[in-house]
Amino acid sequence: MQRFSNKNSVYSVFIMKTIYTIAELQNELGVCRSHGRKIGFVPTMGALHEGHASLVRRSVADNDVTVVSIFVNPTQFNDKEDLRKYPRTLSADYNLLEANHASIVFVPSVEEMYPQPDTREFNYAPLDTVMEGAFRPGHFNGVCQIVSKLFDAVKPDCAYFGEKDFQQLAIIREMTRRLGYNLEIIGCPIVREEDGLAMSSRNKRLSDTERKNALKISQTLFESHNFANEHTVSETVQMVSNSLHGAPGLKLEYFSIVDGTTLQEINNWEDSDTAVGCVAVFCGDVRLIDNIKYRT
Ligand code: AMP
């Protein structure tokens, strides 16, 4: 069991285990649980970066065992080209996870996760009908399908999600509550590149020019944070929209300022203690999302 107790282990050498099937995963975790180990879980689609690493480090700090899944979930891609082009960097991913002391990396096949089509429907309106839900039909249904299957397989004590996918985090919290999962959902802050661009696996697909153009997204959000101190919600929405509409190489899909819990648009700053500005932008054919919290 030493490999699971990396916080207390007497060994300096650490061995991460790679598991491909749910049966083997449950077998391994059953042993951990019977030894009273606390299990943390970080679901990912791979092409890992420092944003993912921050979730893994948080889980390793909070738990005895950290399971990281790498699975590019087909049911959450409404755009099949996006699925085909999704970056896959498995051996670099293993290195990143090992360096950050993940205990188990779970890498199932599509057949393992979907032995037959998943016909379940998750409806968390109005959380899942706005923003990403409006522009990516079926996306959150696919996210809930895979995350619930992974929760059932791992049965973690805690699961870690990034605030980068702000709406996803809110929907996972709602799913966890409604389905009665006995686990804690922990949201972790957005990790950015040094120049401010939110880290994303999709950034790997940007050309040099697109990467420069993409910087305008975070720059505009940061500017809007100051702007919001002296302007109304609608003026702030207008400012961000104008700035991104006119920006070279970018195509704004939406920008909304919403309450951080209900995800519904607000009209006045006084309407919410947790106002968040959420944006989706095409940079070439790469779709990027980002968000910023106001009045904090
Ligand atoms: P993905 O592999 O894109 O499905 O992301 C897996 C998890 O990592 C999700 O909970 C994301 O919100 C989180 N994540 C992705 N990028 C970042 C980032 N830049 N900062 C923090 N968390 C992130």
Side-chain angles (χ1 to χ4, degrees), residues 119-131:
T119 54
R120 291 175 302 159
E121 288 193 11
F122 299 79
N123 189 343
Y124 299 133
L127 291 180
D128 60 356
T129 52
V130 295
M131 300 191 289

Side-chain angles (χ1 to χ4, degrees), residues 119-242:
T119 54
R120 291 175 302 159
E121 288 193 11
F122 299 79
N123 189 343
Y124 299 133
L127 291 180
D128 60 356
T129 52
V130 295
M131 300 191 289
E132 293 300 282
F135 283 91
R136 301 185 68 189
H139 168 66
F140 287 122
N141 202 59
V143 169
C144 290
Q145 286 177 343
I146 192 61
V147 173
S148 61
K149 278 172 178 274
L150 290 167
F151 282 178
D152 291 339
V154 179
K155 298 186 178 61
D157 296 288
C158 300
Y160 297 80
F161 292 85
E163 291 181 347
K164 155 84 168 27
D165 298 275
F166 195 85
Q167 189 173 8
Q168 170 175 277
L169 173 59
I171 290 168
I172 297 294
R173 283 193 198 285
E174 184 66 7
M175 182 190 80
T176 301
R177 195 179 66 77
R178 293 234 208 147
L179 299 184
Y181 282 111
N182 182 22
L183 61 90
E184 194 183 346
I185 302 293
I186 294 166
C188 301
I190 301 177
V191 177
R192 298 180 178 279
E193 302 286 355
E194 237 166 68
D195 62 8
L197 180 68
M199 288 194 182
S200 164
S201 303
R202 289 185 174 85
N203 292 351
K204 293 187 171 74
R205 291 185 48 215
L206 298 171
S207 68
D208 290 350
T209 307
E210 287 169 345
R211 173 66 180 77
K212 285 191 192 110
N213 293 339
L215 193 52
K216 185 76 179 173
I217 303 167
S218 54
Q219 279 175 348
T220 303
L221 292 185
F222 299 153
E223 272 170 44
S224 77
H225 190 268
N226 296 333
F227 188 92
N229 288 327
E230 291 173 9
H231 294 84
T232 64
V233 171
S234 69
E235 285 166 345
T236 307
V237 170
Q238 203 57 52
M239 184 283 246
V240 171
S241 304
N242 289 345

